[in-house]
Amino acid sequence: MFYTIDILGTIAFTISGVLMAMNKKMDLFGILIIGFVTAVGGGTLRDMLIGNTPVGWMQDITYTYVIIASAVFAIVLRKQINYLRTSLFLFDTIGIGLYTVVGIEKGLNAELHPIICIALGTMTASFGGVIRDILCNEIPVIFRKEIYATPCILGGVIYFLLIQFPIQENLVFVIAGVTVIITRLLAVKFKIALPTVYTESQGL
Amino acid sequence: MFYTIDILGTIAFTISGVLMAMNKKMDLFGILIIGFVTAVGGGTLRDMLIGNTPVGWMQDITYTYVIIASAVFAIVLRKQINYLRTSLFLFDTIGIGLYTVVGIEKGLNAELHPIICIALGTMTASFGGVIRDILCNEIPVIFRKEIYATPCILGGVIYFLLIQFPIQENLVFVIAGVTVIITRLLAVKFKIALPTVYTESQGL
Amino acid sequence: MFYTIDILGTIAFTISGVLMAMNKKMDLFGILIIGFVTAVGGGTLRDMLIGNTPVGWMQDITYTYVIIASAVFAIVLRKQINYLRTSLFLFDTIGIGLYTVVGIEKGLNAELHPIICIALGTMTASFGGVIRDILCNEIPVIFRKEIYATPCILGGVIYFLLIQFPIQENLVFVIAGVTVIITRLLAVKFKIALPTVYTESQGL
């Protein structure tokens, strides 16, 4: 089941990359690469940071097939894709929930501090979008209009609270992932965002 | 002989980085770094992704000397460099052919799937240019006007077709590399490019 | 003592990231991440390049605490922070001196060539600022107005000159670090900068 969710997340992330690349008038190759990087970027950075190489997507060719198929799908149906907006947003949100918990578990396997594990989970869920924005020459949306990281961090905190208790690991996994998903859905529905702190200071 | 080609590719890549950095009015240090990153960026990313560390250019100081010498050469002769345009384009193209095949072989050594190997080859050949463009605050040219990746992918496909047959490995290496070079020369000569797929959609 | 200096450098780097992120109207999460990346980016790239994983900041949670505390401090006191400008510049400069020597020693431990070690030292000291600028969608300041790299390179050269002689290693460490600091203070005081080499050439 986790594998299915992972694939759904990969599809949603790929399509979000493809849509932005098309807005930037990239060619077919550029669109494919941006889709790919959006889907695997978070896990790739995580794996490079903890030394888990060759990085994940290189070891299971399924991801590559799913990403290529999703990109072709999004390019062909680019005019109809608006009708799928809600489904894609759900896939994306579910993917973020799963990626967060996967990242946390990779950190635990490497015997890292809980705070570092939560950072790895958040990174897995959100860095694909960051690198998508950098490649498209935008300030990453996650730094301006936060709808990604807070739910991931909250889910991570829940994860580490729960594993203090004698609860089955799979259940902890699910509860933490669902926390990410619900928090994000609520944040988007009620347009909750972190405040910005603007200053005229000119830096150091 | 491969080593000589590698050095010629390094020279051409360095100079292409130096020229863009001078256009961006960078200082001498910035120019040198952009030249360096353009030359070694692709192989560096590949080595980090497959865990082949310390990355390649750290293990053979020759590359560093060649890059510094090429950068100094390009800075001093910046007004005459237009006359070398054709030679540099040829070096660049030959370098791309070689880098593609080198990347594929590194992937094979790490026992990765053929598609992943082709991706590594393409990355080795093209990521230096991508990171050059990001550091210069441009949308990478490879995503907009594709003259790099398609030849690399085609050369990679040829490589894996040929190794099915009882052909000497060196010959496969050369044929695949030459495929990259000829395809790219033809694409540039006849101004062949991948289509863009523009859409007004606002992303997810 | 080295640890104390390291922490002072981390504080100064974090605050320089936080100030730039506030200028870019990022939200609280974005500000924190930019502060974090500015503080640890150089060491992280170095560790990934030489295969020293999990990377440094993941193995000592103190850095994370210091960075969060510094970011909160800078956000709360954003209007008063101008009064601390001189202290912060001193911390930053001392941090650069220390980071340079730390990077060189990591390179020596990996048995790399002296020139590569100096490059690693310079990278440790300056790459955090580069990635801060990329994330904020600016051409990295280090490539335009050089006040970072030259002192680091000079300090590195001094380091390798001194270890030829029978001098205690700690002393070499201190002299090289102080060289970086003094060179940078002098460069800033007397507004010394590397020349730019502008050209109308359109690249390759």
Side-chain angles (χ1 to χ4, degrees), chain B residues 46-67:
Chain B
R46 178 201 64 217
D47 286 347
M48 288 199 302
L49 289 174
I50 62 179
N52 184 9
T53 53
V55 299
W57 59 268
M58 292 192 171
Q59 302 193 18
D60 182 351
I61 194 71
T62 313
Y63 294 102
T64 303
Y65 291 148
V66 168
I67 290 167

PDB file of all heavy atoms in Angstrom, chain B residues 46-67:
ATOM      1  N   ARG B  46      27.222  13.543 -11.043  1.00  0.00           N
ATOM      2  CA  ARG B  46      27.164  12.086 -11.273  1.00  0.00           C
ATOM      3  C   ARG B  46      27.859  11.330 -10.146  1.00  0.00           C
ATOM      4  O   ARG B  46      27.298  10.379  -9.590  1.00  0.00           O
ATOM      5  CB  ARG B  46      27.850  11.771 -12.603  1.00  0.00           C
ATOM      6  CG  ARG B  46      27.907  10.285 -12.934  1.00  0.00           C
ATOM      7  CD  ARG B  46      29.000  10.004 -13.943  1.00  0.00           C
ATOM      8  NE  ARG B  46      30.321  10.321 -13.389  1.00  0.00           N
ATOM      9  CZ  ARG B  46      31.333  10.846 -14.068  1.00  0.00           C
ATOM     10  NH1 ARG B  46      31.205  11.140 -15.332  1.00  0.00           N
ATOM     11  NH2 ARG B  46      32.495  11.096 -13.471  1.00  0.00           N
ATOM     12  N   ASP B  47      29.065  11.770  -9.787  1.00  0.00           N
ATOM     13  CA  ASP B  47      29.818  11.064  -8.749  1.00  0.00           C
ATOM     14  C   ASP B  47      29.128  11.144  -7.389  1.00  0.00           C
ATOM     15  O   ASP B  47      29.140  10.182  -6.622  1.00  0.00           O
ATOM     16  CB  ASP B  47      31.245  11.630  -8.655  1.00  0.00           C
ATOM     17  CG  ASP B  47      32.106  11.190  -9.833  1.00  0.00           C
ATOM     18  OD1 ASP B  47      31.689  10.276 -10.577  1.00  0.00           O
ATOM     19  OD2 ASP B  47      33.200  11.749 -10.014  1.00  0.00           O
ATOM     20  N   MET B  48      28.512  12.315  -7.084  1.00  0.00           N
ATOM     21  CA  MET B  48      27.808  12.432  -5.806  1.00  0.00           C
ATOM     22  C   MET B  48      26.577  11.525  -5.792  1.00  0.00           C
ATOM     23  O   MET B  48      26.273  10.899  -4.785  1.00  0.00           O
ATOM     24  CB  MET B  48      27.411  13.884  -5.533  1.00  0.00           C
ATOM     25  CG  MET B  48      28.616  14.780  -5.184  1.00  0.00           C
ATOM     26  SD  MET B  48      28.170  16.325  -4.345  1.00  0.00           S
ATOM     27  CE  MET B  48      27.056  17.062  -5.530  1.00  0.00           C
ATOM     28  N   LEU B  49      25.863  11.428  -6.920  1.00  0.00           N
ATOM     29  CA  LEU B  49      24.642  10.619  -6.966  1.00  0.00           C
ATOM     30  C   LEU B  49      24.930   9.133  -6.809  1.00  0.00           C
ATOM     31  O   LEU B  49      24.166   8.404  -6.186  1.00  0.00           O
ATOM     32  CB  LEU B  49      23.894  10.852  -8.282  1.00  0.00           C
ATOM     33  CG  LEU B  49      23.211  12.210  -8.451  1.00  0.00           C
ATOM     34  CD1 LEU B  49      22.648  12.344  -9.859  1.00  0.00           C
ATOM     35  CD2 LEU B  49      22.099  12.392  -7.427  1.00  0.00           C
ATOM     36  N   ILE B  50      26.050   8.666  -7.397  1.00  0.00           N
ATOM     37  CA  ILE B  50      26.338   7.235  -7.279  1.00  0.00           C
ATOM     38  C   ILE B  50      27.284   6.921  -6.114  1.00  0.00           C
ATOM     39  O   ILE B  50      27.586   5.767  -5.861  1.00  0.00           O
ATOM     40  CB  ILE B  50      26.876   6.623  -8.601  1.00  0.00           C
ATOM     41  CG1 ILE B  50      28.205   7.236  -9.038  1.00  0.00           C
ATOM     42  CG2 ILE B  50      25.856   6.756  -9.723  1.00  0.00           C
ATOM     43  CD1 ILE B  50      28.746   6.625 -10.328  1.00  0.00           C
ATOM     44  N   GLY B  51      27.713   7.965  -5.401  1.00  0.00           N
ATOM     45  CA  GLY B  51      28.539   7.726  -4.212  1.00  0.00           C
ATOM     46  C   GLY B  51      29.990   7.449  -4.534  1.00  0.00           C
ATOM     47  O   GLY B  51      30.702   6.816  -3.763  1.00  0.00           O
ATOM     48  N   ASN B  52      30.449   7.964  -5.668  1.00  0.00           N
ATOM     49  CA  ASN B  52      31.830   7.772  -6.104  1.00  0.00           C
ATOM     50  C   ASN B  52      32.672   8.943  -5.595  1.00  0.00           C
ATOM     51  O   ASN B  52      32.999   9.862  -6.353  1.00  0.00           O
ATOM     52  CB  ASN B  52      31.822   7.696  -7.639  1.00  0.00           C
ATOM     53  CG  ASN B  52      33.183   7.406  -8.216  1.00  0.00           C
ATOM     54  OD1 ASN B  52      34.106   7.093  -7.484  1.00  0.00           O
ATOM     55  ND2 ASN B  52      33.291   7.532  -9.527  1.00  0.00           N
ATOM     56  N   THR B  53      33.007   8.932  -4.292  1.00  0.00           N
ATOM     57  CA  THR B  53      33.674  10.087  -3.673  1.00  0.00           C
ATOM     58  C   THR B  53      35.029   9.703  -3.084  1.00  0.00           C
ATOM     59  O   THR B  53      35.225   8.543  -2.743  1.00  0.00           O
ATOM     60  CB  THR B  53      32.796  10.662  -2.534  1.00  0.00           C
ATOM     61  OG1 THR B  53      32.451   9.608  -1.637  1.00  0.00           O
ATOM     62  CG2 THR B  53      31.557  11.329  -3.078  1.00  0.00           C
ATOM     63  N   PRO B  54      35.967  10.660  -2.910  1.00  0.00           N
ATOM     64  CA  PRO B  54      35.917  12.037  -3.384  1.00  0.00           C
ATOM     65  C   PRO B  54      35.708  12.093  -4.901  1.00  0.00           C
ATOM     66  O   PRO B  54      36.258  11.261  -5.613  1.00  0.00           O
ATOM     67  CB  PRO B  54      37.289  12.623  -3.017  1.00  0.00           C
ATOM     68  CG  PRO B  54      37.842  11.711  -1.959  1.00  0.00           C
ATOM     69  CD  PRO B  54      37.246  10.378  -2.222  1.00  0.00           C
ATOM     70  N   VAL B  55      34.910  13.068  -5.338  1.00  0.00           N
ATOM     71  CA  VAL B  55      34.523  13.164  -6.749  1.00  0.00           C
ATOM     72  C   VAL B  55      35.755  13.289  -7.653  1.00  0.00           C
ATOM     73  O   VAL B  55      36.822  13.725  -7.219  1.00  0.00           O
ATOM     74  CB  VAL B  55      33.575  14.354  -6.971  1.00  0.00           C
ATOM     75  CG1 VAL B  55      32.300  14.168  -6.150  1.00  0.00           C
ATOM     76  CG2 VAL B  55      34.234  15.670  -6.622  1.00  0.00           C
ATOM     77  N   GLY B  56      35.531  12.925  -8.942  1.00  0.00           N
ATOM     78  CA  GLY B  56      36.618  12.777  -9.911  1.00  0.00           C
ATOM     79  C   GLY B  56      37.705  13.849  -9.937  1.00  0.00           C
ATOM     80  O   GLY B  56      38.887  13.540  -9.795  1.00  0.00           O
ATOM     81  N   TRP B  57      37.337  15.115 -10.099  1.00  0.00           N
ATOM     82  CA  TRP B  57      38.354  16.153 -10.292  1.00  0.00           C
ATOM     83  C   TRP B  57      39.228  16.332  -9.048  1.00  0.00           C
ATOM     84  O   TRP B  57      40.312  16.916  -9.137  1.00  0.00           O
ATOM     85  CB  TRP B  57      37.723  17.486 -10.701  1.00  0.00           C
ATOM     86  CG  TRP B  57      36.721  18.052  -9.727  1.00  0.00           C
ATOM     87  CD1 TRP B  57      35.382  17.852  -9.737  1.00  0.00           C
ATOM     88  CD2 TRP B  57      36.979  18.933  -8.618  1.00  0.00           C
ATOM     89  NE1 TRP B  57      34.780  18.536  -8.710  1.00  0.00           N
ATOM     90  CE2 TRP B  57      35.729  19.212  -8.011  1.00  0.00           C
ATOM     91  CE3 TRP B  57      38.126  19.518  -8.086  1.00  0.00           C
ATOM     92  CZ2 TRP B  57      35.611  20.046  -6.899  1.00  0.00           C
ATOM     93  CZ3 TRP B  57      38.007  20.348  -6.968  1.00  0.00           C
ATOM     94  CH2 TRP B  57      36.749  20.601  -6.397  1.00  0.00           C
ATOM     95  N   MET B  58      38.798  15.828  -7.911  1.00  0.00           N
ATOM     96  CA  MET B  58      39.632  15.933  -6.714  1.00  0.00           C
ATOM     97  C   MET B  58      40.765  14.915  -6.727  1.00  0.00           C
ATOM     98  O   MET B  58      41.714  15.041  -5.967  1.00  0.00           O
ATOM     99  CB  MET B  58      38.776  15.696  -5.469  1.00  0.00           C
ATOM    100  CG  MET B  58      37.787  16.799  -5.244  1.00  0.00           C
ATOM    101  SD  MET B  58      37.055  16.672  -3.611  1.00  0.00           S
ATOM    102  CE  MET B  58      36.184  18.247  -3.566  1.00  0.00           C
ATOM    103  N   GLN B  59      40.618  13.896  -7.572  1.00  0.00           N
ATOM    104  CA  GLN B  59      41.593  12.811  -7.550  1.00  0.00           C
ATOM    105  C   GLN B  59      42.649  12.927  -8.645  1.00  0.00           C
ATOM    106  O   GLN B  59      43.562  12.108  -8.712  1.00  0.00           O
ATOM    107  CB  GLN B  59      40.854  11.471  -7.648  1.00  0.00           C
ATOM    108  CG  GLN B  59      39.853  11.322  -6.516  1.00  0.00           C
ATOM    109  CD  GLN B  59      39.326   9.912  -6.383  1.00  0.00           C
ATOM    110  OE1 GLN B  59      39.908   8.975  -6.898  1.00  0.00           O
ATOM    111  NE2 GLN B  59      38.224   9.756  -5.689  1.00  0.00           N
ATOM    112  N   ASP B  60      42.507  13.905  -9.537  1.00  0.00           N
ATOM    113  CA  ASP B  60      43.517  14.121 -10.573  1.00  0.00           C
ATOM    114  C   ASP B  60      43.694  15.619 -10.777  1.00  0.00           C
ATOM    115  O   ASP B  60      42.854  16.277 -11.394  1.00  0.00           O
ATOM    116  CB  ASP B  60      43.069  13.431 -11.888  1.00  0.00           C
ATOM    117  CG  ASP B  60      44.110  13.582 -12.990  1.00  0.00           C
ATOM    118  OD1 ASP B  60      45.071  14.348 -12.801  1.00  0.00           O
ATOM    119  OD2 ASP B  60      43.952  12.930 -14.029  1.00  0.00           O
ATOM    120  N   ILE B  61      44.787  16.153 -10.251  1.00  0.00           N
ATOM    121  CA  ILE B  61      44.993  17.601 -10.217  1.00  0.00           C
ATOM    122  C   ILE B  61      45.139  18.200 -11.628  1.00  0.00           C
ATOM    123  O   ILE B  61      44.971  19.414 -11.803  1.00  0.00           O
ATOM    124  CB  ILE B  61      46.225  17.934  -9.321  1.00  0.00           C
ATOM    125  CG1 ILE B  61      46.277  19.427  -8.966  1.00  0.00           C
ATOM    126  CG2 ILE B  61      47.519  17.507  -9.995  1.00  0.00           C
ATOM    127  CD1 ILE B  61      45.211  19.838  -7.991  1.00  0.00           C
ATOM    128  N   THR B  62      45.389  17.349 -12.630  1.00  0.00           N
ATOM    129  CA  THR B  62      45.542  17.841 -14.003  1.00  0.00           C
ATOM    130  C   THR B  62      44.353  18.703 -14.438  1.00  0.00           C
ATOM    131  O   THR B  62      44.523  19.753 -15.061  1.00  0.00           O
ATOM    132  CB  THR B  62      45.670  16.657 -14.980  1.00  0.00           C
ATOM    133  OG1 THR B  62      46.619  15.740 -14.453  1.00  0.00           O
ATOM    134  CG2 THR B  62      46.100  17.126 -16.353  1.00  0.00           C
ATOM    135  N   TYR B  63      43.123  18.250 -14.117  1.00  0.00           N
ATOM    136  CA  TYR B  63      41.939  18.999 -14.526  1.00  0.00           C
ATOM    137  C   TYR B  63      41.992  20.429 -13.998  1.00  0.00           C
ATOM    138  O   TYR B  63      41.691  21.379 -14.709  1.00  0.00           O
ATOM    139  CB  TYR B  63      40.668  18.303 -14.033  1.00  0.00           C
ATOM    140  CG  TYR B  63      40.471  16.975 -14.700  1.00  0.00           C
ATOM    141  CD1 TYR B  63      40.770  15.790 -14.041  1.00  0.00           C
ATOM    142  CD2 TYR B  63      40.030  16.899 -16.018  1.00  0.00           C
ATOM    143  CE1 TYR B  63      40.618  14.568 -14.668  1.00  0.00           C
ATOM    144  CE2 TYR B  63      39.878  15.678 -16.650  1.00  0.00           C
ATOM    145  CZ  TYR B  63      40.176  14.519 -15.969  1.00  0.00           C
ATOM    146  OH  TYR B  63      40.042  13.307 -16.599  1.00  0.00           O
ATOM    147  N   THR B  64      42.385  20.569 -12.719  1.00  0.00           N
ATOM    148  CA  THR B  64      42.445  21.901 -12.121  1.00  0.00           C
ATOM    149  C   THR B  64      43.432  22.788 -12.877  1.00  0.00           C
ATOM    150  O   THR B  64      43.135  23.950 -13.183  1.00  0.00           O
ATOM    151  CB  THR B  64      42.850  21.780 -10.632  1.00  0.00           C
ATOM    152  OG1 THR B  64      41.912  20.927  -9.983  1.00  0.00           O
ATOM    153  CG2 THR B  64      42.858  23.133  -9.960  1.00  0.00           C
ATOM    154  N   TYR B  65      44.616  22.249 -13.202  1.00  0.00           N
ATOM    155  CA  TYR B  65      45.594  23.034 -13.951  1.00  0.00           C
ATOM    156  C   TYR B  65      45.053  23.432 -15.322  1.00  0.00           C
ATOM    157  O   TYR B  65      45.179  24.586 -15.748  1.00  0.00           O
ATOM    158  CB  TYR B  65      46.890  22.223 -14.134  1.00  0.00           C
ATOM    159  CG  TYR B  65      47.665  21.996 -12.856  1.00  0.00           C
ATOM    160  CD1 TYR B  65      48.413  20.842 -12.681  1.00  0.00           C
ATOM    161  CD2 TYR B  65      47.664  22.945 -11.839  1.00  0.00           C
ATOM    162  CE1 TYR B  65      49.137  20.620 -11.517  1.00  0.00           C
ATOM    163  CE2 TYR B  65      48.378  22.723 -10.670  1.00  0.00           C
ATOM    164  CZ  TYR B  65      49.117  21.570 -10.515  1.00  0.00           C
ATOM    165  OH  TYR B  65      49.821  21.368  -9.359  1.00  0.00           O
ATOM    166  N   VAL B  66      44.434  22.457 -16.024  1.00  0.00           N
ATOM    167  CA  VAL B  66      43.897  22.735 -17.366  1.00  0.00           C
ATOM    168  C   VAL B  66      42.832  23.829 -17.297  1.00  0.00           C
ATOM    169  O   VAL B  66      42.803  24.743 -18.132  1.00  0.00           O
ATOM    170  CB  VAL B  66      43.312  21.448 -17.986  1.00  0.00           C
ATOM    171  CG1 VAL B  66      42.493  21.766 -19.236  1.00  0.00           C
ATOM    172  CG2 VAL B  66      44.428  20.465 -18.313  1.00  0.00           C
ATOM    173  N   ILE B  67      41.975  23.747 -16.269  1.00  0.00           N
ATOM    174  CA  ILE B  67      40.888  24.722 -16.154  1.00  0.00           C
ATOM    175  C   ILE B  67      41.446  26.113 -15.880  1.00  0.00           C
ATOM    176  O   ILE B  67      41.022  27.099 -16.504  1.00  0.00           O
ATOM    177  CB  ILE B  67      39.899  24.286 -15.055  1.00  0.00           C
ATOM    178  CG1 ILE B  67      39.128  23.053 -15.543  1.00  0.00           C
ATOM    179  CG2 ILE B  67      38.944  25.410 -14.690  1.00  0.00           C
ATOM    180  CD1 ILE B  67      38.347  22.338 -14.465  1.00  0.00           C
TER     181      ILE B  67
END
